[in-house]
Amino acid sequence: MEHWAVQIPTRILGEQPRNGVQWFTYPASCFPDRGDVVEKVREDVATEDAIRHRSGAVADVDAIKVNWHGDLL
């Protein structure tokens, strides 16, 4: 299935700061253009579920990386 894989760098602040990455995937059939994916992930990263999943870490939406995968999963 063709899809977009989106990674967003995250950072936990505090005395012991840590870096990480939060991943999102979107089917190409629903989001044919890269710009649509970026817009959607900016919405999704702010949801309660996404924040809870990354344990409250701060997401760096300015550093979004979008990768196209045209192969089968």
Side-chain angles (χ1 to χ4, degrees), residues 30-60:
C30 296
F31 300 94
D33 298 319
R34 184 185 185 283
D36 296 333
V37 173
V38 172
E39 184 177 321
K40 178 65 173 155
V41 79
R42 285 179 181 267
E43 291 174 17
D44 289 350
V45 77
T47 65
E48 288 182 31
D49 285 341
I51 294 167
R52 184 174 52 250
H53 179 74
R54 63 178 182 265
S55 301
V58 177
D60 185 356

Side-chain angles (χ1 to χ4, degrees), residues 62-73:
D62 293 327
I64 292 172
K65 293 183 182 177
V66 180
N67 299 298
W68 170 257
H69 293 275
D71 56 349
L72 299 175
L73 289 177

Side-chain angles (χ1 to χ4, degrees), residues 1-34:
M1 170 174 102
E2 296 179 327
H3 66 282
W4 298 97
V6 182
Q7 74 178 44
I8 303 172
T10 61
R11 181 158 178 86
I12 295 176
L13 306 173
E15 290 182 24
Q16 297 178 352
R18 294 184 311 179
N19 295 324
V21 175
Q22 187 170 21
W23 287 92
F24 292 83
T25 57
Y26 299 95
S29 59
C30 296
F31 300 94
D33 298 319
R34 184 185 185 283

